[in-house]
Amino acid sequence: MQLKIFLRRISRIVRPQGHVFFGWWIVLSSTGIQFMSGLMWMHSYGAYVVLLQEEFGWSSVMVAGAFTLTRIESGLLGPIQGWLTDRYGPRLILIIGNVIFALGFMGLAFINNLLTFYLMVVVIAIGGSLGGFATLMVSIVHWFNRHRSKAVATSQLGFSLGGLAVPLLIFCFETIGWRYTAFLSGFVILLVAVPCSILIRHKPELYDLTVDGKLDIEFGDRVRQKEEPPHFTAREALRTSAFWLLSIGHALALLTVSTVMVHLIPHLTRTVDFSLTQAGLIVALMTGCQMAGQVVGGYLGDRIEKRLLCCFCLGLHALGMFLVAFATGPWMVIAFALSHGLGWGIRAPLIVAIRADYFGPTSFGTILGFSSMIMMFGMAIGPLITGFIYDVTGSYRLGFTIMAGSAILGAVFFYLAKKPHRPPPRRPSLKDNLVKEPEAVCAS
């Protein structure tokens, strides 16, 4: 009986009018795109680090510096990318971005020195930024309101699935070499990510559809007014304390995430005496826990205050970093994977949904772009600090401990980030009523 009730509820969410709401097809396409990003780059960068250091003898700071450069580039590109996405829609930006992303991997296969490595990393970063997370979220927050956390969490399962598939990529590294693997990765991205990008749409009203797929008659005036989202412009959002507190808290959380991406596999193979394959299995376990966390976060995020859930997740990040910093055996590493993976998975959809709840979907891309300029410090500084400490001390322990402390501080910022007062309702302009994407005009 309980299963029937659960399935009936899922059906009402996915098929609110008797057929699959198009927003969920957008979520499915977003899942495919984020799978490519997670597998080919974000989760596998640590494996590239090990192999590149073996071949070229580069220091930890050198390879961490490349990752730092990509995060700085993403942060600086963020406001421009957000404005372009709000102005021209996410589909065009995604197609361009994923083509660049694929070409970057093809070029990576031919590098022969540190300069060409940095150049290809920048190309990959530009493509990954334009064709990835931030652009996709602009579309999803426009198509969902009541089920926003669920939609974001479902789309981010692709990123976690990418981490789960890292052992397969490591198998390719050990079988055909990292150069051939990188080149083939570019072809796979063209075959998967670009077609998925074509399915993305900007706003449901451009296609005579409604948010969440609900019929207008389902809502009375009273309920409609209650659920009317805020409409902050980017300038209005920047004037609120909530924008800065969320951005700084997110940056402190990303210190742990970026450090794990770059230095976890080197730490496990050098300090805890794991093989590269065993380290890849830990990444898979961590991302499996991340997937479970995303399901939990998507469910709880629409029911419990997201701000407090984010505080809890930062505590899990801190616990995980302490465990892996002082790991002396497999059980502590496994406990790290459980704690860090769950914290990352639960937090990831919440931090997107809470921004949309606070500031609304109208200028979401631009607001997220400006926020990325602050978040980039977390993604950029974490690996660099940890790599420098390792080169000086020969240990990752101090660096990982510092990252754990940053997560605790991040929880404080999230706790202080109260919802801002809503500005006066924005009047729709003539431009809003007339401008549609080309295919929407043709459909009309």
Side-chain angles (χ1 to χ4, degrees):
M1 180 64 69
Q2 294 298 325
L3 179 60
K4 288 183 178 180
I5 295 174
F6 174 75
L7 292 175
R8 193 177 299 119
R9 288 177 179 174
I10 294 296
S11 178
R12 283 201 298 265
I13 293 171
V14 176
R15 307 177 63 210
Q17 296 185 36
H19 56 82
V20 177
F21 173 48
F22 189 78
W24 291 108
W25 293 114
I26 292 175
V27 169
L28 184 62
S29 299
S30 301
T31 303
I33 294 170
Q34 293 194 76
F35 174 78
M36 288 289 101
S37 174
L39 171 61
M40 301 303 185
W41 189 240
M42 300 302 286
H43 286 300
S44 62
Y45 186 80
Y48 275 109
V49 166
V50 172
L51 297 172
L52 289 169
Q53 286 184 307
E54 287 179 356
E55 181 168 333
F56 296 103
W58 296 332
S59 70
S60 296
V61 170
M62 287 179 178
V63 291
F67 189 86
T68 296
L69 185 63
T70 67
R71 298 304 91 200
I72 292 173
E73 171 276 323
S74 296
L76 296 177
L77 182 64
I80 300 173
Q81 176 184 344
W83 180 84
L84 289 173
T85 305
D86 285 335
R87 177 67 180 84
Y88 297 105
R91 181 171 51 180
L92 177 62
I93 308 302
L94 286 167
I95 293 172
I96 294 172
N98 280 301
V99 170
I100 296 173
F101 192 47
L103 294 176
F105 276 97
M106 293 178 182
L108 182 65
F110 298 98
I111 65 166
N112 52 24
N113 54 50
L114 190 63
L115 178 61
T116 54
F117 172 60
Y118 272 47
L119 178 61
M120 287 301 104
V121 164
V122 168
V123 173
I124 290 171
I126 292 173
S129 295
L130 294 175
F133 171 79
T135 310
L136 292 168
M137 293 305 105
V138 172
S139 176
I140 290 176
V141 301
H142 275 287
W143 283 81
F144 293 92
N145 182 22
R146 292 181 61 199
H147 306 299
R148 184 174 287 146
S149 294
K150 299 182 189 72
V152 173
T154 304
S155 74
Q156 291 182 349
L157 285 174
F159 188 80
S160 301
L161 285 169
L164 205 62
V166 165
L168 177 61
L169 198 70
I170 290 177
F171 174 78
C172 293
F173 285 155
E174 295 177 339
T175 304
I176 62 176
W178 68 267
R179 292 184 184 272
Y180 284 111
T181 301
F183 192 81
L184 290 175
S185 296
F187 274 110
V188 174
I189 291 167
L190 290 175
L191 291 174
V192 176
V194 173
C196 286
S197 300
I198 295 173
L199 292 175
I200 303 297
R201 299 292 187 272
H202 193 183
K203 303 175 183 179
E205 56 266 28
L206 298 177
Y207 306 92
D208 297 324
L209 297 173
T210 57
V211 176
D212 291 314
K214 296 291 184 181
L215 291 169
D216 288 343
I217 59 174
E218 293 183 26
F219 302 106
D221 293 338
R222 183 178 177 183
V223 178
R224 184 186 300 276
Q225 290 173 4
K226 182 179 178 182
E227 295 191 350
E228 177 67 23
H231 294 287
F232 281 79
T233 65
R235 180 176 297 180
E236 290 167 341
L238 286 167
R239 291 174 179 170
T240 66
S241 61
F243 171 86
W244 298 98
L245 290 169
L246 287 175
S247 299
I248 295 171
H250 196 177
L252 291 169
L254 292 177
L255 281 171
T256 65
V257 171
S258 59
T259 297
V260 167
M261 285 180 176
V262 177
H263 295 294
L264 176 62
I265 293 178
H267 171 57
L268 295 179
T269 55
R270 296 169 186 169
T271 307
V272 197
D273 200 28
F274 277 42
S275 68
L276 188 61
T277 300
Q278 290 171 330
L281 291 174
I282 292 298
V283 172
L285 174 62
M286 180 182 69
T287 50
C289 295
Q290 185 184 354
M291 290 176 64
Q294 285 165 337
V295 174
V296 173
Y299 177 81
L300 294 180
D302 292 325
R303 290 165 173 78
I304 301 175
E305 188 173 355
K306 300 176 181 68
R307 176 175 59 90
L308 299 181
L309 285 173
C310 286
C311 294
F312 171 73
C313 293
L314 268 291
L316 291 177
H317 280 311
L319 175 61
M321 296 307 291
F322 276 124
L323 285 168
V324 77
F326 294 92
T328 56
W331 76 267
M332 293 184 73
V333 178
I334 292 172
F336 150 78
L338 294 172
S339 178
H340 181 74
L342 283 172
W344 188 1
I346 296 171
R347 176 187 55 76
L350 299 180
I351 194 60
V352 175
I354 196 172
R355 284 193 179 94
D357 291 347
Y358 279 19
F359 306 116
T362 306
S363 301
F364 182 82
T366 308
I367 293 170
L368 183 60
F370 277 108
S371 185
S372 69
M373 295 186 70
I374 303 168
M375 291 152 46
M376 77 174 178
F377 289 103
M379 290 296 286
I381 294 174
L384 204 59
I385 292 175
T386 307
F388 175 77
I389 291 174
Y390 176 81
D391 287 339
V392 172
T393 66
S395 172
Y396 285 104
R397 179 169 292 178
L398 177 59
F400 283 10
T401 302
I402 292 173
M403 298 305 118
S406 74
I408 295 173
L409 182 60
V412 175
F413 278 90
F414 274 115
Y415 181 77
L416 296 174
K418 304 291 181 63
K419 188 172 184 177
H421 294 295
R422 184 190 307 198
R426 191 179 74 96
R427 293 183 178 180
S429 64
L430 180 61
K431 184 178 180 180
D432 290 332
N433 293 328
L434 294 180
V435 174
K436 288 189 175 184
E437 291 181 291
E439 71 277 9
V441 174
C442 293
S444 300

